[in-house]
Amino acid sequence: MTTYGTIPASSLPSANLEYLSRAKERIKDGLGARRPWKLMFNIHSLNFPRTFSEAISRFRANLVYFRMNYAIIVLLILFLSLLWHPISLIVLIIMMALWLFLYFLRDEPLAIFNRTIDDLVVLVVLGVSTFLFLLLTDATSNILVSVLIGAVVVLVHASLRRTDDLYDEESTGLVSGPSSSS
């Protein structure tokens, strides 16, 4: 009996299915590690800081607390600005794949030559390398404007967002910052 056109079940490597299943789970877990968008954009937690030092304190606390969310926002703004530059968009997609595997989807700390690399170092290296590779694609003005817009969005949100309702799971307490009331 011939079975032309059919793929026997035994020919599908179970290792590939296991890898895809693990990757799907890591994507869910990795993106699930970001802070909830509802918490980030809670309208009741936005107000103007009373002093400049309070704004700086809020900025630092929110930048640490929402860093993955902020990275996603800046990358999304960059992606949208490159829709009319296909080569730059291809470079960005390749860099986003690196972002996924080296920053967003890691379960354990990144180690190179038996040395653990801090998440902040990975974030800075990926950000700078993404920026430099995109500058090589002749979309400099789009990239600079979009990164500037992303930085302004992050700066404004991080300065206006109160920190008194941010819960830190690692230390099981509230994030340190000025307790500002409405």
Side-chain angles (χ1 to χ4, degrees):
M1 182 164 122
T2 60
T3 57
Y4 294 111
T6 61
I7 300 172
S10 63
S11 71
L12 294 175
S14 63
N16 285 344
L17 293 175
E18 182 181 331
Y19 175 76
L20 290 175
S21 175
R22 269 194 345 249
K24 183 179 177 182
E25 190 169 318
R26 287 183 70 194
I27 287 172
K28 285 182 181 179
D29 290 344
L31 292 177
R34 68 173 170 31
R35 305 299 181 173
W37 294 104
K38 280 185 175 183
L39 178 66
M40 185 175 179
F41 294 114
N42 183 358
I43 194 79
H44 302 294
S45 294
L46 296 175
N47 68 0
F48 288 102
R50 293 188 181 117
T51 64
F52 183 70
S53 64
E54 182 182 352
I56 290 174
S57 178
R58 284 184 183 188
F59 176 76
R60 287 181 179 160
N62 284 324
L63 195 62
V64 169
Y65 192 79
F66 292 115
R67 70 180 174 203
M68 189 172 293
N69 298 64
Y70 289 145
I72 291 170
I73 288 170
V74 171
L75 286 174
L76 180 66
I77 291 170
L78 184 60
F79 176 80
L80 292 175
S81 75
L82 294 176
L83 285 177
W84 290 270
H85 296 276
I87 301 296
S88 300
L89 195 57
I90 291 169
V91 169
L92 180 66
I93 290 171
I94 291 169
M95 292 305 297
M96 286 177 89
L98 288 174
W99 275 87
L100 277 173
F101 289 109
L102 294 177
Y103 186 72
F104 292 118
L105 300 181
R106 278 186 297 117
D107 291 335
E108 52 209 34
L110 183 65
I112 299 176
F113 300 120
N114 293 327
R115 297 190 72 191
T116 302
I117 309 299
D118 186 41
D119 275 349
L120 184 61
V121 172
V122 174
L123 181 69
V124 169
V125 168
L126 282 172
V128 168
S129 61
T130 301
F131 186 73
L132 290 177
F133 283 132
L134 286 174
L135 286 179
L136 296 174
T137 62
D138 288 335
T140 306
S141 62
N142 277 12
I143 294 165
L144 292 176
V145 168
S146 64
V147 168
L148 182 64
I149 290 171
V152 167
V153 167
V154 168
L155 177 71
V156 168
H157 179 271
S159 298
L160 294 180
R161 173 79 170 69
R162 288 187 325 211
T163 58
D164 56 350
D165 63 341
L166 301 181
Y167 188 80
D168 188 14
E169 292 88 10
E170 284 100 27
S171 65
T172 63
L174 291 175
V175 171
S176 62
S179 58
S180 58
S181 56
S182 300

